[in-house]
Amino acid sequence: MPYFDAASSAPLHPIARQALQASLDEGWADPARLYREGRRARLLLDAAREAAAEAVGCRPDELTFTPSGTHAVHLGIAGALAGRRRTGNRVVVSAVEHSSVLHGAGDSAVTVPVDRSGRVAADDFVAELSADTALACLQSANHEVGTEQPVAEVATACRTAGVPLLVDAAQSLGWGPTPGGWSLLTASAHKWGGPAGVGLLAVRKGVRFAPQGPADERESGRSPGFENLPAIVAAAASLRAVRAEAAQESVRLRALVDRIRTRVPELVPDVEVVGDPVHRLPHLVTFSCLYVDGETLLHELDRAGFSVSSGSSCTSSTLTPSHVLRAMGVLSEGNIRLSLPTGTAPADVEHFLEVLPGVVSSVRERLGAPTPTQTSGEADALVVDALGKLCPIPVIELAKVIGNVRIGGVVRVLSDDAAARLDIPAWCAMRGQEFLGEEPLGEGSGYLVRRVQ
Amino acid sequence: MPYFDAASSAPLHPIARQALQASLDEGWADPARLYREGRRARLLLDAAREAAAEAVGCRPDELTFTPSGTHAVHLGIAGALAGRRRTGNRVVVSAVEHSSVLHGAGDSAVTVPVDRSGRVAADDFVAELSADTALACLQSANHEVGTEQPVAEVATACRTAGVPLLVDAAQSLGWGPTPGGWSLLTASAHKWGGPAGVGLLAVRKGVRFAPQGPADERESGRSPGFENLPAIVAAAASLRAVRAEAAQESVRLRALVDRIRTRVPELVPDVEVVGDPVHRLPHLVTFSCLYVDGETLLHELDRAGFSVSSGSSCTSSTLTPSHVLRAMGVLSEGNIRLSLPTGTAPADVEHFLEVLPGVVSSVRERLGAPTPTQTSGEADALVVDALGKLCPIPVIELAKVIGNVRIGGVVRVLSDDAAARLDIPAWCAMRGQEFLGEEPLGEGSGYLVRRVQ
């Protein structure tokens, strides 16, 4: 049963399992104690820190183990901000950072936009660095669409500006070290096949850093709580293991992803493949299918044996599309992310490509999606009242009536669904129609679309 | 090789190991996802929460899994304080809480003293509850000396006063549910033989609670970061397992501890057994040996195959005795805590009792500890200059010269060692001499002792 959601959590690597089981016997005692069980635990902890630091590209005393990647991010941002309190409190982040970074940075953070591929322009990012900037945060690669960010370039500019750069390397650390002169780096073991319960926070010597929260002597005062030693040992061992396989496996998975990127639009009409086609993670691909409800799509793929994720609004508790897709301005309806675990069999990918077209068309059929027929209407203007209807209905209704206005005529779609703001313009771009803009209503908005062809 | 430090971290319970290994296969996926691996993970998480909640004595939706007991305490205190911000910011704690509680409560917390057994008087505690008290914190039982606190009585009074009570049940939860109407409860799995990486935070419905720190959707917004699922499953399974054995095992260990409490003072001269002899944890006993350096004692016991811990100043990074021993006003030098894991063999305890006297006397011999001879001095007063000398030297020097002053004469010990403040009065109490008080010096203090016998 193919699991294609490694970017959420990767299956445990065999080496992680081995290391975890071995260290259950040796690593349960308190490494701060002086007796033999404590000394053994300390040796394991020190060895794990050395191995992980080597993979990260930092000194062991620059590396802190945290209970999760989220903790690493929260602790890293809070400590860096407190260490730079005298400089200011401005934080600069890309618009497509992981939610842990955006929540850690707070609502007042300055957000640098991205292009349609999800990539931030280094110049745009650097332009936001000011004298009172305490911290900059830029991911190594995006978790939803796989696009790599210009980390090395931004790191150099940050160094020149005297601003520390925190790089969230959660999605990329298993594939290789993070380029450039970053100041802080965060990562999460269960993304590379390590166990849950382990994050990494690296803070370069010389970076001003003041740990926040109640004092605790563990992990040099940077991450409170008793060390999760067997999991830490397993995390470090599996990081070494996946790194040893990374060069070969990344080439293999990159080819599989390239095949998906090429074949899906050939096999399924009205699909937008998103994210940078070249500067991207090797194992991750995301596309969106017009006229499809993401939750139903996920459900049908699950029934067919495929585990994937989605940034569609209807699959989230907030009923809004993922902030990444919003920042990119791409279609969000029928959104599917595949992230292939190491070892993914080509046959599983082929099977997915066989199954997908039927799944999408059956969902479309059920929803009454429009068939692409060229009609020629006479009306100057039409109104579609889709108030109270959720994604993908507003777009489907729009597509159904666009042929009823003349070329040059305007359709006004009334919608209070958050996804419409993203998906109506995206539909226009995909279908070669003109999006004129959004008018606020009492509740919801009117979206104006001019028929061009 | 007997390990007698379960209160620091207990060896992994066989059930915890089994559950951990089993859930490595089923529990690595994201329980927030809708596909089969996610649903399986969610089922495991829900089942673990139900089992743990039953053992705690709360509803499953009142229970949050955290990455450690320390996190549970920090998150619990911060959330309760924020929830009660309008009431005030006064926090009342006992003087012998775990350092995570004291650090979480902050320096401005009101500290309720304890008696020489380490027990807080319920009346003293309740007297500190005022209209602006946001939170009260009282441990179920002390982690260093085993004394049980009057939690049920204090909980009733807190309820009457409308003040939420947080009970740190880290040391007792494996032995049984916490009595009384507490509002918040915290615990740590590796103390009961569960794995590291799991703490519990229970917050009763109706308790005002506002989670602090950056927002995160995990664990109902109360504990950020990806769930450490295999460890959570193992924690819940082992809690049920130790509870099933608790009634029988507590009787067995209580008898072993009673034997240690009785035999140690018979076998070793100049020993003070501390903590309540009756109202105590079943598996924990603490005593202090005059004229002994705790670090050397630990080292020698480790060489003899025994792993124990100590609250002596010389075994801590701060060079001060544990705050618990200080609050109790008991001897801290040569301090040893034994906490027996479940399954401890009586033969191992007997072996410890055989080995201890020789170890203590060899350490005393090496340090030049005074032999208890009755001498009759003539001097009215003497000064012992022990400045720059660490525990147990100032007490040893005092003991050596006390015989050189007449009955009624005074010895003045000059010392800048933090342990002297505790150990010189404790020595006086043990030897039937009169402690007159402490005079501040430029550096250190003068401690005045009148010879009475």
Side-chain angles (χ1 to χ4, degrees):
Chain A
M1 301 286 270
Y3 174 82
F4 289 162
D5 197 21
S8 284
S9 191
L12 202 63
H13 193 282
I15 296 288
R17 177 189 302 262
Q18 264 178 39
L20 186 67
Q21 291 185 347
S23 57
L24 289 178
D25 291 324
E26 301 276 312
W28 51 269
D30 184 345
R33 298 290 177 183
L34 302 174
Y35 42 69
R36 65 191 174 283
E37 294 88 351
R39 294 193 304 269
R40 272 206 304 250
R42 168 63 54 190
L43 286 176
L44 285 175
L45 181 58
D46 290 347
R49 197 184 312 278
E50 278 194 28
E54 196 190 336
V56 168
C58 68
R59 294 165 34 166
D61 61 352
E62 293 173 332
L63 190 70
T64 299
F65 293 111
T66 70
S68 71
T70 298
H71 284 90
V73 166
H74 291 175
L75 293 168
I77 291 177
L81 286 183
R84 300 261 297 169
R85 203 170 274 141
R86 287 188 196 165
T87 304
N89 57 10
R90 182 182 169 95
V91 187
V92 177
V93 300
S94 90
V96 294
E97 295 299 306
H98 188 267
S99 59
S100 63
V101 173
L102 297 180
H103 288 141
D107 292 339
S108 61
V110 176
T111 302
V112 183
V114 294
D115 63 19
R116 269 187 78 85
S117 80
R119 187 173 168 95
V120 83
D123 287 349
D124 291 353
F125 197 98
V126 171
E128 294 292 353
L129 303 177
S130 57
D132 64 341
T133 301
L135 179 66
C137 302
L138 182 62
Q139 62 194 189
S140 54
N142 185 266
H143 51 297
E144 288 192 32
V145 299
T147 301
E148 288 175 340
Q149 303 296 349
V151 165
E153 210 175 331
V154 167
T156 303
C158 280
R159 180 150 293 192
T160 306
V163 173
L165 175 68
L166 182 149
V167 176
D168 168 17
Q171 291 297 339
S172 70
L173 197 69
W175 296 112
T178 305
W182 47 265
S183 299
L184 302 101
L185 181 142
T186 60
S188 173
H190 74 103
K191 306 287 190 190
W192 70 65
V198 184
L200 302 182
L201 168 62
V203 182
R204 292 260 190 232
K205 287 284 157 204
V207 172
R208 284 181 197 278
F209 194 84
Q212 297 304 286
D216 190 273
E217 77 281 10
R218 304 276 168 187
E219 288 295 295
S220 311
R222 289 185 172 172
S223 182
F226 188 78
E227 292 91 346
N228 188 355
L229 195 46
I232 286 172
V233 170
S238 54
L239 181 54
R240 286 173 74 113
V242 297
R243 278 292 185 78
E245 304 155 356
Q248 206 172 343
E249 188 65 4
S250 67
V251 170
R252 204 179 68 82
L253 293 185
R254 184 173 287 276
L256 291 178
V257 164
D258 277 337
R259 177 151 172 82
I260 297 168
R261 293 185 69 97
T262 308
R263 288 297 287 152
V264 166
E266 292 169 359
L267 294 166
V268 182
D270 297 320
V271 159
E272 181 176 15
V273 180
V274 299
D276 195 296
V278 178
H279 302 291
R280 60 168 176 83
L281 292 167
H283 66 307
L284 196 151
V285 52
T286 300
F287 54 87
S288 301
C289 309
L290 263 181
Y291 316 134
V292 169
D293 155 17
E295 187 158 349
T296 307
L297 187 53
L298 243 58
H299 180 67
E300 293 300 324
L301 285 171
D302 176 53
R303 275 172 40 125
F306 296 97
S307 300
V308 304
S309 76
S310 169
S312 287
S313 58
C314 51
T315 61
S316 74
S317 56
T318 55
L319 292 178
T320 57
S322 97
H323 71 274
V324 172
L325 301 177
R326 270 183 288 159
M328 294 165 66
V330 296
L331 185 71
S332 82
E333 65 187 38
N335 180 265
I336 291 294
R337 176 187 71 181
L338 307 185
S339 47
L340 312 182
T342 58
T344 294
D348 286 341
V349 169
E350 292 310 315
H351 186 209
F352 177 80
L353 292 174
E354 282 160 28
V355 164
L356 181 70
V359 167
V360 173
S361 68
S362 78
V363 176
R364 282 177 174 165
E365 204 167 306
R366 219 175 309 160
L367 287 169
T371 42
T373 52
Q374 200 65 16
T375 58
S376 176
E378 297 302 319
D380 286 337
L382 274 176
V383 173
V384 172
D385 181 357
L387 289 167
K389 304 224 169 103
L390 294 179
C391 162
I393 302 301
V395 171
I396 290 177
E397 297 301 321
L398 165 61
K400 278 184 181 160
V401 304
I402 190 80
N404 298 344
V405 296
R406 61 172 175 79
I407 304 273
V410 171
V411 178
R412 188 155 170 265
V413 184
L414 312 183
S415 172
D416 49 7
D417 179 29
R421 183 165 295 130
L422 195 53
D423 290 342
I424 291 177
W427 178 87
C428 293
M430 288 173 76
R431 306 315 241 127
Q433 309 295 1
E434 187 184 1
F435 182 64
L436 297 177
E438 175 182 348
E439 302 168 338
L441 298 176
E443 39 181 344
S445 297
Y447 298 91
L448 299 177
V449 176
R450 189 198 310 276
R451 181 174 176 194
V452 175
Q453 51 173 314
Chain B
M1 302 286 271
Y3 173 82
F4 288 162
D5 197 20
S8 284
S9 191
L12 202 63
H13 192 282
I15 296 288
R17 176 187 304 262
Q18 265 177 39
L20 186 66
Q21 291 184 347
S23 56
L24 289 178
D25 290 324
E26 300 278 313
W28 51 269
D30 184 345
R33 298 289 177 185
L34 301 175
Y35 43 68
R36 63 189 176 282
E37 294 87 353
R39 294 194 305 268
R40 272 206 305 250
R42 168 62 55 188
L43 286 175
L44 286 175
L45 182 58
D46 290 347
R49 197 184 311 278
E50 277 194 30
E54 195 190 337
V56 168
C58 67
R59 292 164 36 164
D61 61 352
E62 294 173 333
L63 190 68
T64 300
F65 292 111
T66 70
S68 72
T70 298
H71 284 89
V73 166
H74 292 174
L75 293 168
I77 292 177
L81 286 182
R84 300 261 299 168
R85 204 170 273 141
R86 286 187 196 166
T87 304
N89 57 11
R90 182 181 169 95
V91 186
V92 178
V93 300
S94 89
V96 296
E97 295 299 306
H98 188 267
S99 58
S100 63
V101 173
L102 297 179
H103 287 140
D107 292 340
S108 61
V110 177
T111 302
V112 183
V114 294
D115 63 18
R116 269 187 79 84
S117 80
R119 187 174 167 94
V120 83
D123 288 349
D124 292 353
F125 197 98
V126 172
E128 295 291 353
L129 304 176
S130 57
D132 64 341
T133 301
L135 180 66
C137 302
L138 183 61
Q139 62 194 188
S140 55
N142 186 265
H143 52 296
E144 288 193 31
V145 300
T147 301
E148 287 175 341
Q149 303 296 349
V151 166
E153 210 175 332
V154 167
T156 303
C158 281
R159 179 150 293 193
T160 305
V163 174
L165 176 67
L166 182 150
V167 176
D168 168 18
Q171 291 297 338
S172 70
L173 196 69
W175 296 111
T178 306
W182 46 266
S183 299
L184 302 100
L185 182 141
T186 60
S188 172
H190 74 102
K191 307 286 190 189
W192 70 65
V198 184
L200 302 182
L201 168 61
V203 182
R204 291 262 190 231
K205 288 284 158 203
V207 173
R208 283 181 197 277
F209 193 82
Q212 297 302 287
D216 190 272
E217 77 281 9
R218 303 277 170 187
E219 287 295 293
S220 312
R222 289 184 171 173
S223 182
F226 189 77
E227 291 92 346
N228 187 355
L229 195 46
I232 286 172
V233 170
S238 55
L239 181 54
R240 286 173 73 113
V242 299
R243 277 293 185 79
E245 305 156 356
Q248 206 171 345
E249 188 64 5
S250 68
V251 169
R252 205 179 67 81
L253 293 185
R254 186 173 286 276
L256 291 178
V257 164
D258 277 337
R259 177 152 171 81
I260 297 168
R261 293 186 68 98
T262 308
R263 288 297 288 151
V264 166
E266 292 170 0
L267 294 165
V268 182
D270 296 320
V271 159
E272 181 176 14
V273 180
V274 298
D276 195 296
V278 178
H279 303 290
R280 61 168 177 82
L281 292 168
H283 66 306
L284 195 152
V285 51
T286 301
F287 55 86
S288 301
C289 309
L290 263 181
Y291 316 134
V292 168
D293 154 18
E295 186 158 350
T296 307
L297 188 53
L298 242 58
H299 180 68
E300 293 299 324
L301 285 171
D302 176 53
R303 276 172 40 127
F306 295 97
S307 299
V308 303
S309 77
S310 169
S312 288
S313 59
C314 51
T315 59
S316 74
S317 56
T318 56
L319 293 178
T320 57
S322 95
H323 71 274
V324 173
L325 301 177
R326 270 183 288 158
M328 293 165 67
V330 295
L331 185 70
S332 82
E333 66 187 38
N335 180 265
I336 290 295
R337 177 187 71 181
L338 308 185
S339 46
L340 312 182
T342 59
T344 294
D348 286 341
V349 170
E350 291 309 315
H351 186 207
F352 177 81
L353 292 173
E354 281 160 29
V355 164
L356 182 70
V359 166
V360 172
S361 69
S362 78
V363 176
R364 282 176 175 165
E365 204 169 305
R366 221 175 309 160
L367 287 171
T371 43
T373 52
Q374 199 65 16
T375 57
S376 175
E378 297 299 320
D380 286 338
L382 273 176
V383 173
V384 172
D385 182 355
L387 289 167
K389 304 225 169 103
L390 293 180
C391 163
I393 303 301
V395 172
I396 290 177
E397 295 302 319
L398 165 62
K400 276 183 179 161
V401 305
I402 190 79
N404 297 345
V405 297
R406 62 173 175 78
I407 304 274
V410 171
V411 178
R412 190 156 169 266
V413 184
L414 312 183
S415 172
D416 50 9
D417 178 30
R421 184 165 295 130
L422 195 54
D423 290 343
I424 290 177
W427 178 88
C428 292
M430 288 172 76
R431 306 315 242 131
Q433 309 295 0
E434 186 184 2
F435 181 65
L436 298 177
E438 175 182 350
E439 301 169 339
L441 296 178
E443 40 182 342
S445 297
Y447 297 91
L448 298 177
V449 176
R450 190 198 310 276
R451 181 174 175 193
V452 175
Q453 51 173 312

